[in-house]
Amino acid sequence: MDRSFLYLKSALLAMEPVNTVLFLARQSGGGSITTKVQTFILDHCADDVVSKGNTRHKIYMKNILKSIISVAESSNIDMADGLYEQFAYYMTLNVDDGSLNDNNKICKHISFYLSNGHGDINSTNFIVKLQCSLNMLQGDTGCALWPSGLLLSEFILSQPGTFSNKCCLEVGSGVGLVGVCLAYAGASKVVLTDGDVSTLANMEHNLELNEYITKNKIECKHLLWETASESELQSFQTEIVLGADIVYDPRYVPHLIRVLSILLNHGKSGLYEEKVSIKYENELSHYKEQKDISANALKEAPVAYIATVIRNDSTWNYFLRLAGETNISVQDITGMSKSLNLLPYMPSYDRESVYLFKLSSLCN
């Protein structure tokens, strides 16, 4: 199968906008939506999309076919057998506006092309299933999929060695995409936190959808930044902190800075006590054994990776000022992060608008 057709199918399964699908359909057809492309959508995509069982997926597919028919007819392109019939079937669906209001969720399949253009195109897909809300404000925006989460996920999958065998914690975990990617990258433990109960419920549902990756690796915690205790945060023993679009409301910035400060400083006194204890317990042991154990105790200081779209300069500058006052270093690594483009079928995803920052404590 040609790679352009794979991208087209990935876009449909990710419920990408109609214009994106039409763009990829034209690419697959060498500039026009040929009967071959139409047949591919009918035979290899339509059933996969609507089989998710949600009326909204059928409506989405109806709109796709309607647009394809419109473009093909206006360009005098032959129509594939069965295209009109399939569109007519979706037109006959009895859609109750009330039922749609009660069910504003859709299931997206996000395909990451880990080969980035190399290797066997049929074996390099990593697919994450996500239930997302069409209401971008549901769960305090935590039930929708945002560009920052996509970029942070690309960063994790592009550099799995950074996260392998590490204890990772995400603040404001949203739909859970970053957590699934951390589990896939080999993190030893993943803690996903959020302050909104409905977001947590949706996140837990998504972890169940991806259980083959996340089983026994991820736990979800209800965590309010403004009330989280120091002992609770230290108990996570976090090595890497992550966050996507968490700097958005100036009211919560001081609480976020406090949480980050505790997480980034949690190991300082603990590591010192561990060294002293090891030296004492091994004073009669062989020197080489003592030296090796002591070296293992000197773990790297925790770091944080935050992806964000800077929508309000004053809020972001407020975050930077409080971070500086709390001795947190904020380094812009957007240009040096080496994140691969693992979502080539998503032109609607504007990665250029997302910044990636590395945070560390100046006290360590």
Short mmCIF file of all heavy atoms in Angstrom, two decimals, residues 178 201 231 309:
data_model
loop_
_atom_site.label_atom_id
_atom_site.label_comp_id
_atom_site.label_asym_id
_atom_site.label_seq_id
_atom_site.Cartn_x
_atom_site.Cartn_y
_atom_site.Cartn_z
N VAL A 178 -0.16 11.52 26.66
CA VAL A 178 1.25 11.57 27.08
C VAL A 178 1.58 10.35 27.94
O VAL A 178 2.64 9.74 27.80
CB VAL A 178 1.54 12.87 27.84
CG1 VAL A 178 2.91 12.82 28.52
CG2 VAL A 178 1.50 14.06 26.87
N ALA A 201 -12.05 10.62 34.92
CA ALA A 201 -12.88 9.50 34.48
C ALA A 201 -12.65 9.21 33.00
O ALA A 201 -12.53 8.04 32.59
CB ALA A 201 -14.36 9.81 34.74
N SER A 231 4.23 16.43 51.36
CA SER A 231 4.50 15.01 51.58
C SER A 231 3.89 14.15 50.47
O SER A 231 4.49 13.16 50.03
CB SER A 231 3.96 14.57 52.95
OG SER A 231 2.55 14.80 53.02
N VAL A 309 1.45 26.31 24.22
CA VAL A 309 1.18 27.39 23.27
C VAL A 309 1.04 28.66 24.10
O VAL A 309 0.21 28.71 25.01
CB VAL A 309 -0.11 27.12 22.47
CG1 VAL A 309 -0.43 28.32 21.57
CG2 VAL A 309 0.02 25.86 21.64
#
